[in-house]
Amino acid sequence: MRIFTAIVLVLLCVGFQPLVAQQKPKETKDTKLDSLQSVLDKATSDTAKVRIMCAISVHCKRKDVKKAFETAQKAFELAQKTKVDKALAQATRTLAGNYENKGDVLKTVQYYKEAIGLYEKLGDEKLLNEVYNELGIAYFNQNVLDKALECFVKVIKYAQKTDNKELEARLTNNMGAMYARDEDFVKAEEMYQKAYKLNKELSNVSLMMSNLTNLASTYKSLKRYKESIQCFQDLLALGDKTNDSSKIYIAYSNMSNVYKILKEYDTAMLYSQKTLKYRLKVGDIRNLAGSYNEIAGLYLEKNDFAQAEDFMAKSQEIAVKTKNQRQIMNNYATFAELYDKKKDIANALFYYKKYITTKDSLEKADKAKQLVQMRTIYETESKEAENQKLRQKNDLHVAQKSTFYAIGIAISFALLGVIAVAIILYRNNAHKHRLNQELTMQKAELAEQKEEIQVQNEELRQQQEEITAQRDYIAKQNLELTGRNELIEAKNQIIESSIQVALQIQNAMLPYPTRMQGTLGEYFVLNKPKDIVSGDYYWLHKQEDTIILAVIDCVGHGVPGALMSMIAHALLDKVVVLQEHQQPADILKYLDEEVKYALQTNTDNSQGGMDAAIVVWTPTTEGEVQVTFGGAKRPLFVKRPNSPEIEEIGATRRSIGGEINATLPFIQQTLTLEKDSIMYLFSDGITDQNDIKRNRIGGNRLKEILLQNAHLLMNEQKVSLERAVQTYMEGTIQRDDIVLVGVKL
């Protein structure tokens, strides 16, 4: 099971608070609020009071929701009394923002639209477009993406028309977030890149950091992890300059997630612990549960079950205390994975069922919420249509009053003649007739719209019934599948337990690290099985002062390869230890005979049982060492101390146990190597590994990687080589078992 960590896409709003704010430590005194309250107490005009109360409401919006809403209501009531459109527009806009903060969709849209009408009447394009942007964000938060797009496009056109680069950058970022919500990550990347470029031109570091956060999240969704990490590193560099700790620790949390995907657990743990330290410092209690879960998951990957269980207990305690149902769901999944790895099947199944139950409950609530949101939007549109109808009736009433007034004037000026009166009456009657016709048409349109809304409501009802039927069917299927899954899971546990035992046996077959250290001195081993057990292995033997080191690449991988490796290991012990053959060519020759006899591979098309690279040498205290090498299709790479390149020593082009090129004799070569020379023996799994474009690493690229790291300590070489291979195969799967042994003479 996988635990997914959501990465917040930042919407940028003009003159408005961020959608999600970090919790801050409690301040003993709010000097800005005190200052605003002092100015309000001294204000004499009602319009000034409205303006200051709106500022207080915006200031308190994240700190004291109740005070912010009550102040916005008072400002709105006072603005209505003043009958000053500018004050009323500002108060209406502020009240809309507070309703959005409370989650009241209907009133949020209603008051934003009323504010838009007032700013249109005032002809204030700047503030009008700011409100359109805020309405677009409200639609975005309710997942009504088509209407959000309409609002954002209007504001972008205004920004481009007025050459307002800052506003254009904000709206471009918002559109990127909208595309990301719609999972069009390619288009989202384009928008974020454009926004970042604009903010860079404006030297707006804060918004550049928001753009980098969104870009990094997008690259992660596209599985372009290297670019995602680079964006986070750029973000950290900017954060150091601005001392913006909140964005720095957002980057730390997300970098931990990316490194976990890359299976670089130590690096991921470093960033997770930094995130935890910050959240403890600022008192971010709700998100502490996520940090503890994240660290527990990393300990779980490292098979440190005690630490994982300890951190999960802390996460669950906080999640329950804060009633964070989604975190509780994620915790159930992690508990199930923990107990599964501990082979505690009963508890694993218990928490898995709780995870499924909680997940279904949350999905059901989300669907219900979505239906309510859609109905709310339609109700809002319907109410807007009714308001339009009332405004049209009012216009007609005014027109009729004007008609009567004109008739009175006509009578008072009767001396102008009956003809003039008739003309005036004719014109007024014609105007009235046109208005009546327009009103009839508008009534018909409203009736049509009402009918369309009713049809849509009926479709929604039918869809809800279909969803309910599908849910019941799925629930029935789930019950059946649960039984089958439990049976399959039990069988899988038996198989996996057997393979784990096989792994322990195979590991016991390999030379212990203490023996390797005592025999070889400076060395490293990169051993990455494709599956749990491997068909590639390394073998070490010391006869008096002579050291024999071999890397064997058996045909196949997984269980078949592992079985073949056991046969090869036994035969190698027989040829070297019992029969006392110490020359590489002899070892390969007699090993070939033994493998053919053991496997009965006497057909002409046999591909062979294994490939091998064998080196034999006697350590000296002198400046040079005589090394004898023999290989079956596996070469030896050598890095001499003062050489600018990696030297390749070729192998015989035939496999052990195969009939292809069977007449070729196995040959060996003797090399004179200086002290501190490095020998590299390896299976073909590392050179055959491909990247996302299906290009192999190959021998030449492997030489480049080894040459770049040859100056490092041997254990550091292993880390760099492993990281290079992991980066190269990003976006692909491992094709074969990998073994590479490096020895420094």
Side-chain angles (χ1 to χ4, degrees):
M1 300 176 195
R2 298 165 56 196
I3 306 302
F4 295 91
T5 304
I7 300 178
V8 179
L9 291 174
V10 182
L11 282 177
L12 304 174
C13 174
V14 181
F16 213 71
Q17 293 290 324
L19 291 176
V20 180
Q22 293 286 342
Q23 294 182 356
K24 297 183 178 179
K26 186 177 179 181
E27 297 179 357
T28 56
K29 187 176 183 181
D30 191 334
T31 54
K32 184 174 180 181
L33 178 61
D34 292 343
S35 176
L36 288 170
Q37 189 63 51
S38 176
V39 174
L40 177 63
D41 294 340
K42 296 176 183 178
T44 55
S45 70
D46 288 343
T47 55
K49 290 180 180 179
V50 169
R51 185 174 66 253
I52 298 165
M53 282 193 286
C54 288
I56 291 174
S57 176
V58 170
H59 177 75
C60 294
K61 192 173 180 183
R62 299 301 174 194
K63 298 181 178 181
D64 188 341
V65 175
K66 182 179 179 182
K67 180 177 180 64
F69 183 71
E70 290 175 351
T71 307
Q73 281 186 313
K74 290 178 182 178
F76 181 73
E77 292 169 0
L78 183 58
Q80 286 179 312
K81 293 178 182 179
T82 65
K83 297 183 180 180
V84 176
D85 287 341
K86 186 174 181 180
L88 184 58
Q90 184 181 9
T92 306
R93 173 187 177 184
T94 304
L95 188 58
N98 276 273
Y99 274 119
E100 182 183 9
N101 204 33
K102 287 168 66 70
D104 191 329
V105 180
L106 183 63
K107 289 192 175 173
T108 299
V109 174
Q110 173 190 335
Y111 282 108
Y112 270 135
K113 287 192 172 183
E114 287 184 15
I116 285 171
L118 289 165
Y119 282 121
E120 284 177 342
K121 181 179 178 182
L122 290 167
D124 192 328
E125 278 193 287
K126 181 177 181 298
L127 295 179
L128 173 65
N129 280 278
E130 287 183 8
V131 179
Y132 266 122
N133 181 42
E134 292 163 13
L135 178 59
I137 293 173
Y139 280 132
F140 176 88
N141 289 337
Q142 300 305 321
N143 212 31
V144 187
L145 300 184
D146 53 341
K147 292 192 175 293
L149 181 60
E150 288 178 13
C151 294
F152 291 154
V153 168
K154 281 185 181 183
V155 184
I156 281 186
K157 286 180 179 179
Y158 166 75
Q160 291 172 341
K161 182 180 76 173
T162 57
D163 197 30
N164 189 333
K165 297 293 185 184
E166 181 177 354
L167 182 59
E168 184 181 355
R170 291 174 183 269
L171 267 295
T172 304
N173 182 86
N174 288 0
M175 291 184 70
M178 189 188 66
Y179 283 122
R181 173 75 63 82
D182 205 29
E183 296 187 354
D184 187 349
F185 296 113
V186 174
K187 194 69 177 175
E189 178 195 0
E190 179 186 337
M191 293 292 105
Y192 290 144
Q193 287 282 14
K194 184 177 179 182
Y196 178 74
K197 184 178 179 182
L198 288 167
N199 283 318
K200 191 172 183 180
E201 291 174 1
L202 297 168
S203 298
N204 194 330
V205 176
S206 177
L207 298 188
M208 284 169 63
M209 292 171 72
S210 297
N211 299 146
L212 286 170
T213 301
N214 290 341
L215 269 172
S217 302
T218 302
Y219 286 137
K220 180 186 172 188
S221 298
L222 290 169
K223 297 184 178 180
R224 289 156 60 181
Y225 302 121
K226 191 173 182 180
E227 292 168 272
S228 178
I229 290 173
Q230 185 60 54
C231 284
F232 283 129
Q233 288 174 342
D234 293 343
L235 172 60
L236 290 175
L238 289 175
D240 289 338
K241 293 180 181 178
T242 60
N243 199 26
D244 189 340
S245 58
S246 62
K247 288 189 174 66
I248 289 175
Y249 286 97
I250 288 175
Y252 283 156
S253 177
N254 287 290
M255 286 178 77
S256 173
N257 292 329
V258 175
Y259 278 114
K260 183 179 180 182
I261 292 171
L262 294 174
K263 297 185 178 180
E264 295 186 27
Y265 301 123
D266 290 339
T267 308
M269 181 69 76
L270 174 66
Y271 286 113
S272 288
Q273 288 173 341
K274 287 185 177 183
T275 306
L276 175 62
K277 183 178 179 182
Y278 171 74
R279 286 175 174 167
L280 287 169
K281 179 181 177 182
V282 302
D284 186 0
I285 302 300
R286 185 177 179 83
N287 288 319
L288 271 179
S291 280
Y292 284 128
N293 179 290
E294 189 176 272
I295 293 173
L298 291 171
Y299 277 121
L300 194 56
E301 294 292 347
K302 298 170 74 172
N303 292 327
D304 189 341
F305 301 137
Q307 288 281 23
E309 201 161 7
D310 182 49
F311 276 91
M312 280 307 305
K314 294 177 181 178
S315 177
Q316 187 70 348
E317 181 183 358
I318 294 172
V320 171
K321 184 177 180 180
T322 58
K323 298 180 181 179
N324 189 339
Q325 290 299 316
R326 294 198 183 277
Q327 187 60 57
I328 291 172
M329 177 190 73
N330 290 337
N331 287 351
Y332 286 150
T334 307
F335 273 125
E337 185 178 1
L338 169 64
Y339 287 116
D340 180 60
K341 282 196 171 187
K342 290 179 68 176
K343 312 302 180 188
D344 186 346
I345 306 303
N347 271 324
L349 185 60
F350 171 76
Y351 280 107
Y352 179 70
K353 287 180 177 178
K354 289 184 77 68
Y355 164 72
I356 293 298
T357 302
T358 308
K359 182 181 178 184
D360 289 344
S361 175
L362 289 174
E363 287 179 351
K364 183 178 179 181
D366 288 342
K367 288 178 181 177
K369 183 179 179 181
Q370 187 176 6
L371 288 172
V372 171
Q373 290 171 352
M374 292 176 66
R375 188 175 290 111
T376 299
I377 296 300
Y378 286 124
E379 289 175 357
T380 303
E381 297 297 330
S382 175
K383 188 169 183 179
E384 181 67 19
E386 291 176 3
N387 290 338
Q388 181 66 20
K389 178 180 176 182
L390 290 173
R391 286 194 292 269
Q392 290 169 349
K393 284 184 178 180
N394 184 58
D395 291 343
L396 178 60
H397 179 66
V398 172
Q400 289 173 339
K401 286 180 68 177
S402 299
T403 301
F404 294 140
Y405 182 67
I407 293 172
I409 294 175
I411 294 173
S412 64
F413 290 92
L415 295 176
L416 297 177
V418 175
I419 296 174
V421 173
I423 291 172
I424 292 171
L425 289 174
Y426 173 77
R427 288 179 177 176
N428 283 325
N429 285 331
H431 178 61
K432 180 179 178 182
H433 180 67
R434 283 196 304 273
L435 287 175
N436 285 331
Q437 284 182 330
E438 290 175 2
L439 183 58
T440 301
M441 291 175 63
Q442 289 167 353
K443 285 181 178 179
E445 289 176 1
L446 287 173
E448 185 178 348
Q449 291 175 0
K450 183 178 180 181
E451 184 178 352
E452 183 179 349
I453 291 172
Q454 289 174 343
V455 170
Q456 291 171 341
N457 285 335
E458 178 62 23
E459 289 176 355
L460 284 172
R461 186 188 64 77
Q462 291 176 0
Q463 289 173 2
Q464 188 174 10
E465 289 177 355
E466 290 175 5
I467 290 170
T468 302
Q470 290 173 359
R471 183 199 63 201
D472 294 341
Y473 174 75
I474 291 170
K476 182 180 177 182
Q477 293 295 313
N478 282 340
L479 287 174
E480 295 177 2
L481 288 173
T482 298
R484 296 176 188 173
N485 287 340
E486 289 175 355
L487 179 60
I488 293 170
E489 181 68 22
K491 290 182 178 179
N492 285 342
Q493 289 295 330
I494 295 171
I495 294 170
E496 186 176 344
S497 296
S498 299
I499 295 175
Q500 289 292 340
V501 173
L503 175 62
Q504 292 175 1
I505 295 171
Q506 190 175 51
N507 286 339
M509 179 184 73
L510 297 173
Y512 293 115
T514 52
R515 181 185 167 201
M516 296 280 286
Q517 180 73 40
T519 304
L520 301 178
E522 294 186 66
Y523 81 100
F524 74 83
V525 175
L526 176 61
N527 186 11
K528 289 175 67 67
K530 178 182 183 296
D531 304 308
I532 297 174
V533 290
S534 174
D536 296 357
Y537 74 98
Y538 50 96
W539 185 90
L540 178 67
H541 178 68
K542 186 175 183 181
Q543 185 70 33
E544 295 180 351
D545 293 332
T546 301
I547 297 174
I548 303 172
L549 175 65
V551 167
I552 309 297
D553 184 348
C554 296
V555 171
H557 48 74
V559 174
L563 291 173
M564 188 65 199
S565 74
M566 299 294 289
I567 294 172
H569 186 273
L571 295 178
L572 195 54
D573 279 347
K574 179 180 178 181
V575 170
V576 178
V577 180
L578 298 180
Q579 298 176 357
E580 297 185 349
H581 294 293
Q582 294 188 358
Q583 294 301 312
D586 292 339
I587 295 171
L588 293 170
K589 174 186 173 182
Y590 290 106
L591 191 59
D592 176 61
E593 293 175 359
E594 293 288 346
V595 169
K596 285 179 179 178
Y597 180 78
L599 299 180
Q600 298 298 307
T601 55
N602 53 9
T603 58
D604 292 338
N605 61 353
S606 174
Q607 296 293 317
M610 63 195 74
D611 299 336
I614 302 174
V615 288
V616 178
W617 77 98
T618 301
T620 66
T621 57
E622 307 274 331
E624 296 179 342
V625 180
Q626 298 294 318
V627 175
T628 305
F629 163 73
K633 295 185 73 173
R634 299 309 315 140
L636 171 69
F637 284 180
V638 175
K639 170 64 176 69
R640 298 177 186 268
N642 298 317
S643 175
E645 61 184 7
I646 297 288
E647 182 180 348
E648 179 175 350
I649 314 301
T652 304
R653 299 184 63 79
R654 59 173 289 199
S655 295
I656 297 170
E659 293 299 322
I660 297 176
N661 295 331
T663 57
L664 284 176
F666 290 108
I667 62 172
Q668 64 186 35
Q669 302 178 56
T670 300
L671 311 172
T672 301
L673 299 180
E674 300 85 349
K675 182 175 175 57
D676 292 334
S677 294
I678 304 175
M679 300 185 297
Y680 300 100
L681 296 82
F682 53 92
S683 64
D684 63 5
I686 190 167
T687 51
D688 287 347
Q689 180 60 48
N690 61 278
D691 63 5
I692 198 168
K693 297 179 181 178
R694 302 188 67 79
N695 296 320
R696 295 169 60 251
I697 289 179
N700 290 334
R701 186 174 282 109
L702 178 59
K703 288 178 185 178
E704 291 175 5
I705 296 170
L706 293 173
L707 188 61
Q708 289 171 0
N709 297 290
H711 65 285
L712 300 174
L713 297 175
M714 297 302 284
N715 62 334
E716 293 176 348
Q717 285 192 44
K718 175 187 175 180
V719 173
S720 296
L721 175 61
E722 187 170 14
R723 183 175 294 130
V725 172
Q726 189 67 40
T727 301
Y728 189 83
M729 62 184 285
E730 184 176 292
T732 66
I733 60 174
Q734 186 173 332
R735 292 184 56 180
D736 198 1
D737 300 322
I738 294 174
V739 167
L740 186 148
V741 179
V743 180
K744 190 171 187 179
L745 297 176

